[in-house]
Short mmCIF file of all heavy atoms in Angstrom, two decimals:
data_model
loop_
_atom_site.label_atom_id
_atom_site.label_comp_id
_atom_site.label_asym_id
_atom_site.label_seq_id
_atom_site.Cartn_x
_atom_site.Cartn_y
_atom_site.Cartn_z
N ILE A 1 71.79 137.36 50.92
CA ILE A 1 72.24 136.80 52.20
C ILE A 1 71.24 135.82 52.79
O ILE A 1 71.46 135.29 53.88
CB ILE A 1 72.53 137.92 53.21
CG1 ILE A 1 71.26 138.72 53.53
CG2 ILE A 1 73.64 138.82 52.71
CD1 ILE A 1 71.44 139.72 54.65
N GLY A 2 70.13 135.55 52.07
CA GLY A 2 69.21 134.50 52.50
C GLY A 2 67.98 134.96 53.24
O GLY A 2 67.07 134.17 53.48
N LEU A 3 67.92 136.24 53.63
CA LEU A 3 66.75 136.76 54.31
C LEU A 3 65.69 137.20 53.31
O LEU A 3 65.99 137.47 52.15
CB LEU A 3 67.13 137.97 55.18
CG LEU A 3 68.13 137.74 56.31
CD1 LEU A 3 68.48 139.07 56.97
CD2 LEU A 3 67.56 136.76 57.33
N LYS A 4 64.44 137.27 53.76
CA LYS A 4 63.40 137.90 52.97
C LYS A 4 63.53 139.41 53.13
O LYS A 4 63.74 139.90 54.24
CB LYS A 4 62.00 137.46 53.43
CG LYS A 4 61.71 135.99 53.22
CD LYS A 4 61.51 135.65 51.75
CE LYS A 4 61.11 134.19 51.57
NZ LYS A 4 60.95 133.83 50.14
N GLY A 5 63.42 140.13 52.06
CA GLY A 5 63.50 141.58 52.11
C GLY A 5 62.26 142.20 51.48
O GLY A 5 61.88 141.83 50.36
N ARG A 6 61.62 143.12 52.19
CA ARG A 6 60.41 143.78 51.68
C ARG A 6 60.70 145.26 51.47
O ARG A 6 61.20 145.93 52.37
CB ARG A 6 59.25 143.61 52.65
CG ARG A 6 57.90 144.12 52.13
CD ARG A 6 56.79 143.77 53.11
NE ARG A 6 55.47 144.03 52.58
CZ ARG A 6 54.63 144.95 53.05
NH1 ARG A 6 54.99 145.71 54.07
NH2 ARG A 6 53.44 145.12 52.51
N ILE A 7 60.38 145.74 50.30
CA ILE A 7 60.62 147.14 49.97
C ILE A 7 59.46 147.71 49.16
O ILE A 7 58.68 146.97 48.55
CB ILE A 7 61.92 147.34 49.15
CG1 ILE A 7 61.82 146.59 47.81
CG2 ILE A 7 63.15 146.93 49.93
CD1 ILE A 7 62.93 146.93 46.83
N ILE A 8 59.35 149.03 49.20
CA ILE A 8 58.56 149.75 48.21
C ILE A 8 59.53 150.22 47.14
O ILE A 8 60.63 150.68 47.45
CB ILE A 8 57.85 150.97 48.84
CG1 ILE A 8 56.74 150.51 49.78
CG2 ILE A 8 57.29 151.90 47.77
CD1 ILE A 8 56.11 151.64 50.57
N PHE A 9 59.14 150.07 45.88
CA PHE A 9 59.98 150.63 44.83
C PHE A 9 59.13 151.48 43.89
O PHE A 9 57.94 151.24 43.71
CB PHE A 9 60.72 149.53 44.04
CG PHE A 9 59.84 148.63 43.22
CD1 PHE A 9 59.45 148.98 41.93
CD2 PHE A 9 59.42 147.41 43.73
CE1 PHE A 9 58.65 148.13 41.17
CE2 PHE A 9 58.62 146.55 42.98
CZ PHE A 9 58.24 146.92 41.70
N GLU A 10 59.77 152.50 43.34
CA GLU A 10 59.13 153.37 42.36
C GLU A 10 60.10 153.57 41.20
O GLU A 10 61.21 154.08 41.41
CB GLU A 10 58.76 154.71 42.98
CG GLU A 10 57.73 154.59 44.10
CD GLU A 10 57.31 155.92 44.68
OE1 GLU A 10 57.85 156.97 44.25
OE2 GLU A 10 56.44 155.92 45.56
N ALA A 11 59.71 153.14 40.03
CA ALA A 11 60.58 153.24 38.85
C ALA A 11 59.75 153.64 37.63
O ALA A 11 59.61 152.87 36.68
CB ALA A 11 61.28 151.90 38.60
N PRO A 12 59.18 154.83 37.64
CA PRO A 12 58.26 155.21 36.56
C PRO A 12 58.89 155.22 35.18
O PRO A 12 58.33 154.68 34.22
CB PRO A 12 57.79 156.62 36.97
CG PRO A 12 58.81 157.10 37.96
CD PRO A 12 59.31 155.89 38.66
N GLY A 13 60.08 155.82 35.06
CA GLY A 13 60.71 155.89 33.75
C GLY A 13 61.21 154.56 33.26
O GLY A 13 61.06 154.21 32.08
N LEU A 14 61.80 153.78 34.15
CA LEU A 14 62.36 152.49 33.77
C LEU A 14 61.25 151.52 33.37
O LEU A 14 61.39 150.77 32.39
CB LEU A 14 63.16 151.92 34.94
CG LEU A 14 64.22 150.86 34.62
CD1 LEU A 14 65.18 151.34 33.54
CD2 LEU A 14 64.98 150.47 35.88
N VAL A 15 60.12 151.52 34.08
CA VAL A 15 59.01 150.66 33.72
C VAL A 15 58.45 151.06 32.36
O VAL A 15 58.13 150.19 31.52
CB VAL A 15 57.91 150.71 34.80
CG1 VAL A 15 56.61 150.09 34.30
CG2 VAL A 15 58.38 149.99 36.07
N ALA A 16 58.35 152.35 32.10
CA ALA A 16 57.89 152.81 30.79
C ALA A 16 58.85 152.37 29.68
O ALA A 16 58.42 151.89 28.62
CB ALA A 16 57.75 154.33 30.79
N LEU A 17 60.14 152.52 29.94
CA LEU A 17 61.15 152.15 28.96
C LEU A 17 61.13 150.65 28.68
O LEU A 17 61.20 150.22 27.50
CB LEU A 17 62.52 152.58 29.48
CG LEU A 17 63.68 152.65 28.50
CD1 LEU A 17 63.35 153.57 27.34
CD2 LEU A 17 64.93 153.15 29.24
N LEU A 18 61.02 149.84 29.71
CA LEU A 18 60.94 148.39 29.53
C LEU A 18 59.70 147.99 28.74
O LEU A 18 59.75 147.09 27.90
CB LEU A 18 60.94 147.70 30.90
CG LEU A 18 62.25 147.71 31.68
CD1 LEU A 18 62.02 147.27 33.12
CD2 LEU A 18 63.29 146.81 31.02
N THR A 19 58.58 148.65 29.01
CA THR A 19 57.34 148.35 28.29
C THR A 19 57.48 148.64 26.81
O THR A 19 57.06 147.84 25.96
CB THR A 19 56.17 149.17 28.88
OG1 THR A 19 56.02 148.85 30.28
CG2 THR A 19 54.87 148.89 28.15
N ALA A 20 58.07 149.77 26.48
CA ALA A 20 58.25 150.14 25.07
C ALA A 20 59.21 149.18 24.37
O ALA A 20 58.95 148.70 23.26
CB ALA A 20 58.77 151.57 24.97
N HIS A 21 60.32 148.88 25.02
CA HIS A 21 61.33 148.01 24.41
C HIS A 21 60.79 146.61 24.20
O HIS A 21 61.02 145.99 23.15
CB HIS A 21 62.57 147.98 25.31
CG HIS A 21 63.68 147.15 24.76
ND1 HIS A 21 63.90 145.83 25.13
CD2 HIS A 21 64.66 147.45 23.86
CE1 HIS A 21 64.94 145.36 24.49
NE2 HIS A 21 65.43 146.32 23.72
N ARG A 22 60.04 146.11 25.15
CA ARG A 22 59.48 144.77 25.03
C ARG A 22 58.49 144.69 23.86
O ARG A 22 58.47 143.72 23.11
CB ARG A 22 58.80 144.36 26.34
CG ARG A 22 58.29 142.91 26.34
CD ARG A 22 57.78 142.51 27.71
NE ARG A 22 58.83 142.54 28.71
CZ ARG A 22 58.86 143.38 29.75
NH1 ARG A 22 57.90 144.26 29.92
NH2 ARG A 22 59.86 143.33 30.61
N ALA A 23 57.68 145.72 23.71
CA ALA A 23 56.71 145.74 22.61
C ALA A 23 57.41 145.72 21.26
O ALA A 23 56.96 145.04 20.32
CB ALA A 23 55.81 146.97 22.73
N LEU A 24 58.52 146.45 21.15
CA LEU A 24 59.27 146.47 19.89
C LEU A 24 59.93 145.12 19.64
O LEU A 24 59.89 144.60 18.51
CB LEU A 24 60.30 147.59 19.93
CG LEU A 24 61.13 147.83 18.68
CD1 LEU A 24 60.24 148.08 17.47
CD2 LEU A 24 62.10 149.00 18.89
N GLU A 25 60.53 144.54 20.67
CA GLU A 25 61.16 143.22 20.52
C GLU A 25 60.15 142.16 20.09
O GLU A 25 60.45 141.32 19.24
CB GLU A 25 61.80 142.79 21.83
CG GLU A 25 63.18 143.34 22.08
CD GLU A 25 63.90 142.58 23.18
OE1 GLU A 25 63.24 142.07 24.10
OE2 GLU A 25 65.13 142.48 23.12
N GLU A 26 58.98 142.18 20.68
CA GLU A 26 57.95 141.18 20.33
C GLU A 26 57.64 141.22 18.84
O GLU A 26 57.33 140.19 18.24
CB GLU A 26 56.68 141.45 21.14
CG GLU A 26 56.80 141.13 22.61
CD GLU A 26 55.64 141.64 23.43
OE1 GLU A 26 54.80 142.39 22.87
OE2 GLU A 26 55.56 141.31 24.62
N ALA A 27 57.74 142.40 18.25
CA ALA A 27 57.38 142.56 16.84
C ALA A 27 58.52 142.24 15.88
O ALA A 27 58.28 141.84 14.74
CB ALA A 27 56.89 143.99 16.58
N VAL A 28 59.77 142.41 16.32
CA VAL A 28 60.89 142.31 15.37
C VAL A 28 61.80 141.11 15.58
O VAL A 28 62.54 140.73 14.66
CB VAL A 28 61.74 143.60 15.37
CG1 VAL A 28 60.87 144.82 15.09
CG2 VAL A 28 62.50 143.77 16.68
N LEU A 29 61.79 140.49 16.77
CA LEU A 29 62.64 139.32 16.99
C LEU A 29 61.95 138.06 16.48
O LEU A 29 60.73 138.00 16.38
CB LEU A 29 62.96 139.16 18.48
CG LEU A 29 63.81 140.25 19.15
CD1 LEU A 29 64.19 139.80 20.57
CD2 LEU A 29 65.05 140.58 18.35
N SER A 30 62.76 137.06 16.18
CA SER A 30 62.19 135.78 15.74
C SER A 30 61.56 135.06 16.93
O SER A 30 61.81 135.39 18.10
CB SER A 30 63.28 134.90 15.14
OG SER A 30 64.14 134.40 16.16
N LYS A 31 60.75 134.06 16.62
CA LYS A 31 60.11 133.26 17.66
C LYS A 31 61.14 132.64 18.59
O LYS A 31 60.99 132.65 19.82
CB LYS A 31 59.27 132.17 16.99
CG LYS A 31 58.59 131.20 17.95
CD LYS A 31 57.78 130.18 17.15
CE LYS A 31 57.10 129.17 18.04
NZ LYS A 31 56.29 128.20 17.25
N GLN A 32 62.21 132.09 18.02
CA GLN A 32 63.22 131.44 18.84
C GLN A 32 63.99 132.45 19.70
O GLN A 32 64.34 132.15 20.84
CB GLN A 32 64.19 130.63 17.95
CG GLN A 32 63.53 129.51 17.17
CD GLN A 32 62.78 128.54 18.08
OE1 GLN A 32 63.21 128.26 19.20
NE2 GLN A 32 61.65 128.02 17.60
N GLN A 33 64.25 133.63 19.16
CA GLN A 33 64.88 134.67 19.97
C GLN A 33 64.00 135.06 21.16
O GLN A 33 64.47 135.17 22.29
CB GLN A 33 65.17 135.91 19.12
CG GLN A 33 66.36 135.80 18.19
CD GLN A 33 66.53 137.05 17.35
OE1 GLN A 33 65.61 137.48 16.66
NE2 GLN A 33 67.72 137.64 17.42
N ASN A 34 62.73 135.28 20.89
CA ASN A 34 61.81 135.67 21.97
C ASN A 34 61.66 134.58 23.02
O ASN A 34 61.41 134.87 24.19
CB ASN A 34 60.45 136.04 21.39
CG ASN A 34 60.40 137.46 20.86
OD1 ASN A 34 60.98 138.37 21.45
ND2 ASN A 34 59.72 137.67 19.74
N ARG A 35 61.81 133.33 22.62
CA ARG A 35 61.71 132.22 23.58
C ARG A 35 62.98 132.06 24.41
O ARG A 35 62.92 131.82 25.61
CB ARG A 35 61.45 130.91 22.83
CG ARG A 35 60.01 130.70 22.43
CD ARG A 35 59.87 129.33 21.80
NE ARG A 35 58.48 128.95 21.58
CZ ARG A 35 58.11 127.80 21.06
NH1 ARG A 35 59.02 126.90 20.69
NH2 ARG A 35 56.83 127.52 20.89
N PHE A 36 64.13 132.19 23.76
CA PHE A 36 65.39 131.88 24.44
C PHE A 36 65.95 133.05 25.23
O PHE A 36 66.53 132.86 26.31
CB PHE A 36 66.44 131.43 23.40
CG PHE A 36 67.79 131.14 23.99
CD1 PHE A 36 67.99 129.98 24.74
CD2 PHE A 36 68.86 132.01 23.81
CE1 PHE A 36 69.23 129.71 25.29
CE2 PHE A 36 70.10 131.75 24.36
CZ PHE A 36 70.29 130.59 25.10
N LYS A 37 65.79 134.25 24.72
CA LYS A 37 66.42 135.42 25.32
C LYS A 37 66.08 135.60 26.80
O LYS A 37 66.97 135.99 27.59
CB LYS A 37 66.04 136.67 24.52
CG LYS A 37 66.71 137.94 25.00
CD LYS A 37 66.42 139.07 24.03
CE LYS A 37 66.64 140.40 24.69
NZ LYS A 37 65.59 140.76 25.63
N PRO A 38 64.86 135.38 27.26
CA PRO A 38 64.57 135.54 28.70
C PRO A 38 65.44 134.67 29.61
O PRO A 38 65.73 135.07 30.74
CB PRO A 38 63.09 135.17 28.81
CG PRO A 38 62.52 135.50 27.46
CD PRO A 38 63.61 135.13 26.49
N ASP A 39 65.86 133.50 29.13
CA ASP A 39 66.73 132.65 29.96
C ASP A 39 68.08 133.33 30.19
O ASP A 39 68.62 133.33 31.30
CB ASP A 39 66.95 131.30 29.27
CG ASP A 39 65.69 130.46 29.21
OD1 ASP A 39 64.79 130.69 30.04
OD2 ASP A 39 65.60 129.57 28.34
N VAL A 40 68.63 133.91 29.14
CA VAL A 40 69.89 134.64 29.26
C VAL A 40 69.69 135.87 30.15
O VAL A 40 70.51 136.18 31.02
CB VAL A 40 70.41 135.07 27.87
CG1 VAL A 40 71.66 135.94 28.00
CG2 VAL A 40 70.70 133.85 27.01
N ALA A 41 68.58 136.56 29.93
CA ALA A 41 68.31 137.79 30.67
C ALA A 41 68.19 137.53 32.17
O ALA A 41 68.71 138.30 32.99
CB ALA A 41 67.03 138.43 30.15
N ARG A 42 67.51 136.46 32.54
CA ARG A 42 67.35 136.16 33.96
C ARG A 42 68.70 135.88 34.63
O ARG A 42 68.93 136.28 35.78
CB ARG A 42 66.39 134.98 34.15
CG ARG A 42 64.92 135.38 34.05
CD ARG A 42 64.01 134.24 34.46
NE ARG A 42 63.98 133.19 33.46
CZ ARG A 42 63.14 133.17 32.42
NH1 ARG A 42 62.27 134.15 32.25
NH2 ARG A 42 63.16 132.18 31.56
N LYS A 43 69.60 135.22 33.92
CA LYS A 43 70.93 134.95 34.48
C LYS A 43 71.71 136.24 34.63
O LYS A 43 72.40 136.46 35.65
CB LYS A 43 71.69 133.95 33.61
CG LYS A 43 73.03 133.51 34.22
CD LYS A 43 72.81 132.85 35.58
CE LYS A 43 74.12 132.47 36.24
NZ LYS A 43 73.91 131.86 37.57
N TRP A 44 71.62 137.13 33.63
CA TRP A 44 72.30 138.42 33.72
C TRP A 44 71.79 139.21 34.92
O TRP A 44 72.57 139.77 35.70
CB TRP A 44 72.09 139.21 32.43
CG TRP A 44 72.83 140.50 32.37
CD1 TRP A 44 74.09 140.71 31.88
CD2 TRP A 44 72.37 141.78 32.84
NE1 TRP A 44 74.44 142.04 32.00
CE2 TRP A 44 73.41 142.71 32.59
CE3 TRP A 44 71.20 142.23 33.43
CZ2 TRP A 44 73.29 144.06 32.92
CZ3 TRP A 44 71.08 143.57 33.77
CH2 TRP A 44 72.11 144.47 33.52
N VAL A 45 70.48 139.26 35.09
CA VAL A 45 69.87 139.97 36.22
C VAL A 45 70.32 139.37 37.55
O VAL A 45 70.64 140.10 38.50
CB VAL A 45 68.33 139.94 36.09
CG1 VAL A 45 67.66 140.36 37.40
CG2 VAL A 45 67.88 140.84 34.95
N GLU A 46 70.37 138.06 37.61
CA GLU A 46 70.79 137.38 38.84
C GLU A 46 72.23 137.75 39.20
O GLU A 46 72.54 138.02 40.37
CB GLU A 46 70.66 135.87 38.63
CG GLU A 46 71.07 135.01 39.80
CD GLU A 46 70.99 133.54 39.45
OE1 GLU A 46 69.86 133.05 39.24
OE2 GLU A 46 72.05 132.89 39.34
N LEU A 47 73.12 137.78 38.22
CA LEU A 47 74.52 138.14 38.48
C LEU A 47 74.63 139.56 39.02
O LEU A 47 75.35 139.81 39.99
CB LEU A 47 75.34 138.01 37.19
CG LEU A 47 75.61 136.59 36.68
CD1 LEU A 47 76.25 136.64 35.30
CD2 LEU A 47 76.50 135.81 37.65
#
């Protein structure tokens, strides 16, 4: 809605899960996949 919003967040399990998944992706995806995928991901998150 255009306002600035300030919050405290706590996501221990989700942060751990994201860290593990990212480490695996870095090792198994191609260079081009690792470069391009964040652009798609940011749009998905925005939606």
Side-chain angles (χ1 to χ4, degrees):
I1 62 173
L3 299 175
K4 295 288 184 182
R6 187 174 190 246
I7 61 170
I8 290 173
F9 67 85
E10 297 183 357
L14 201 53
V15 167
L17 196 56
L18 288 167
T19 301
H21 182 264
R22 185 173 297 115
L24 184 56
E25 277 196 329
E26 289 169 352
V28 304
L29 295 188
S30 73
K31 177 180 179 179
Q32 298 304 325
Q33 283 178 305
N34 278 322
R35 279 184 171 181
F36 178 74
K37 184 172 160 285
D39 293 337
V40 175
R42 280 189 288 272
K43 186 60 183 179
W44 185 90
V45 166
E46 180 184 292
L47 289 172

